[in-house]
């Protein structure tokens, strides 16, 4: 695979910002909006945005069953399944521990991509870089999270860890599936996935909580849902599929190391949350890991 271009790194940075901002938007949204409607609302808003762009661009949604089979599968694997398993898991374990477990996504992506995506190789530099990056993530979320993996007791805690790990696996599968999806226009692909996810997410949310509950939501929370939909879901989907097509799933999976750092910085700047010194040290280690994983591009396999 050729060396990653500057445009790839810019798209990766953009995706980290869009996904990283989701934590701030979600914190505002869930104050008065149920988690299931936060999920459905972000998908509905993202779908509305992308379908509008689709109409303006004069592009059509796919019209064959095979394409829609892929789009529905991507919506299930990339949105519905991980959102559900991770949300359930976070009811029983800390956010820091969840962050550690989701950090397995890049390693899982590396293994799956090696089997299904031509040109994706597991090199010593790449494997070492991902391990160093994971160590940096562990420092960012705090060493206590690693201890929780070992000391967690009770069936719910163990099942919760498994649920979050399942979410990480779903994300990894989605990274690879997005690269293998049949060729179609970028807007058609991202809009189709978002529409399928919005329809399924709305059905799921409606069975859990009546839609009338949204009438009691505050304006701030509704704006938080809108921010999630517009930036962290709709626009992020366009950037995600573009980057997957140009740079591959393993490169995109590096976002799972960088997003927690951006989220911590956002929490500090927007909400005045404590910024631990370990965040900056962990970030430096993550960057070192990324540099190591990309070393192969300049020095051969």
């Amino acid at each position: 695979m050729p060396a990653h271009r500057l445009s790839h790194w810019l798209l990766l940075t953009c995706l980290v910002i869009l996904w990283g901002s989701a934590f701030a938007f979600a914190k505002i949204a869930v104050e008065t909006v149920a988690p299931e409607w936060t999920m459905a609302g972000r998908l509905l808003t993202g779908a509305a945005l992308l379908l509008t762009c689709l109409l303006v661009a004069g592009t059509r949604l796919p019209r064959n069953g095979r394409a829609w089979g892929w789009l529905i599968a991507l919506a299930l694997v990339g949105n519905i399944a991980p959102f559900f398993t991770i949300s359930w898991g976070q009811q029983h374990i800390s956010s820091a521990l969840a962050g550690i477990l989701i950090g397995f996504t890049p390693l899982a992506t590396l293994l799956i991509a090696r089997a299904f995506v031509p040109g994706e190789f597991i090199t010593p530099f790449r494997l070492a870089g991902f391990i160093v990056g994971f160590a940096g993530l562990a420092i960012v979320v705090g060493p206590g999270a690693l201890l929780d993996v070992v000391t967690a007791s009770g069936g719910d805690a163990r099942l919760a860890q498994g649920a979050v790990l399942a979410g990480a696996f779903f994300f990894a599968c989605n990274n690879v599936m997005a690269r293998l999806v049949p060729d179609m226009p970028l807007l058609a692909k991202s809009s189709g996935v978002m529409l399928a996810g919005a329809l399924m997410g709305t059905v799921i949310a409606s069975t859990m909580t009546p839609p009338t509950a949204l009438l009691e939501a505050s304006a701030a929370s509704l704006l938080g849902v809108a921010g999630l939909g517009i930036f962290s879901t709709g626009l992020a989907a366009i950037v995600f599929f573009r980057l997957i097509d140009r740079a591959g799933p393993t490169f995109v999976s590096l976002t799972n190391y960088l997003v927690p750092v951006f989220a911590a910085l956002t929490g500090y700047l927007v909400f005045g949350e404590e910024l631990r010194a370990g965040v900056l040290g962990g970030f430096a280690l993550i960057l070192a890991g990324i540099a190591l994983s990309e070393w192969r591009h300049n020095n051969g396999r």
Side-chain angles (χ1 to χ4, degrees), residues 33 60 63 80 85 92 107 115 122 145 202 223 229 246 274 281 285:
V33 177
R60 295 180 178 179
R63 295 191 174 186
I80 304 299
T85 58
H92 304 283
L107 293 173
I122 302 177
T202 300
L223 287 174
R246 292 185 175 183
E274 180 184 0
L285 198 57

Side-chain angles (χ1 to χ4, degrees), residues 225-257:
V225 172
L228 275 171
I230 294 171
F231 300 104
S232 306
T233 308
L235 294 178
I238 296 176
V239 177
F240 169 75
F241 283 115
R242 174 66 75 189
L243 188 56
I244 281 284
D245 289 342
R246 292 185 175 183
T250 303
F251 183 74
V252 172
S253 70
L254 294 174
T255 56
N256 291 91
Y257 293 152

Side-chain angles (χ1 to χ4, degrees), residues 3-4 43-44 46 61-62 75 100 107 126 136 138 144 157 173-175 177 190 209 229 234 247 249 275 296:
H4 293 301
L43 291 171
L44 285 166
L61 288 170
I100 282 287
L107 293 173
R126 171 167 275 183
C173 290
N174 183 64
N175 288 339
M177 290 170 60
S190 53
T209 305
L275 183 65
R296 72 186 185 97

Side-chain angles (χ1 to χ4, degrees), residues 6-287:
L6 176 60
S7 61
H8 298 167
W9 292 103
L10 292 175
L11 285 171
L12 185 76
T13 301
C14 183
L15 192 57
V16 168
I17 293 172
L18 290 171
W19 280 346
S21 63
F23 293 91
F25 287 127
K27 183 170 184 176
I28 299 171
V30 297
E31 289 180 356
T32 59
V33 177
E36 57 270 21
W37 277 109
T38 298
M39 176 270 292
R42 70 184 291 181
L43 291 171
L44 285 166
T45 305
L49 171 67
L50 293 183
L51 288 173
T52 300
C53 294
L54 190 77
L55 290 174
V56 172
T59 307
R60 295 180 178 179
L61 288 170
R63 295 191 174 186
N64 65 81
R66 180 170 178 267
W68 273 107
W70 274 95
L71 297 178
I72 291 171
L74 284 171
L76 281 170
V77 174
N79 292 317
I80 304 299
F83 288 170
F84 176 78
T85 58
I86 292 171
S87 296
W88 184 86
Q90 285 188 291
Q91 296 179 92
H92 304 283
I93 62 176
S94 67
S95 296
L97 177 53
I100 282 287
L101 296 173
I102 294 172
F104 281 101
T105 298
L107 293 173
T109 301
L110 180 64
L111 296 174
I112 298 171
R114 174 66 184 88
F116 294 100
V117 180
E120 292 283 350
F121 298 96
I122 302 177
T123 67
F125 278 113
R126 171 167 275 183
L127 184 59
F130 276 44
I131 293 173
V132 170
F134 182 80
L137 173 65
I139 293 174
V140 168
V141 300
L146 285 176
L147 185 61
D148 288 342
V149 175
V150 180
T151 61
S153 59
D156 284 347
R158 291 298 182 186
L159 283 174
Q161 289 184 16
V164 176
L165 275 175
F169 179 75
F170 284 130
F171 281 142
C173 290
N174 183 64
N175 288 339
V176 176
M177 290 170 60
R179 182 59 181 265
L180 300 175
V181 69
D183 186 45
M184 65 185 78
L186 176 63
L187 273 177
K189 181 163 48 179
S190 53
S191 299
V193 170
M194 205 59 57
L195 177 60
L199 293 176
M200 290 185 286
T202 300
V203 171
I204 293 171
S206 297
T207 60
M208 298 177 69
T209 305
T212 52
L214 293 173
L215 297 176
E216 301 177 4
S218 68
S221 289
L222 292 176
L223 287 174
V225 172
L228 275 171
I230 294 171
F231 300 104
S232 306
T233 308
L235 294 178
I238 296 176
V239 177
F240 169 75
F241 283 115
R242 174 66 75 189
L243 188 56
I244 281 284
D245 289 342
R246 292 185 175 183
T250 303
F251 183 74
V252 172
S253 70
L254 294 174
T255 56
N256 291 91
Y257 293 152
L258 295 168
V259 164
V261 177
F262 184 84
L265 292 174
T266 302
Y268 171 73
L269 295 173
V270 178
F271 300 107
E273 297 175 352
E274 180 184 0
L275 183 65
R276 296 180 297 102
V279 171
L280 299 179
F283 180 48
L285 198 57
I286 288 171
L287 292 180

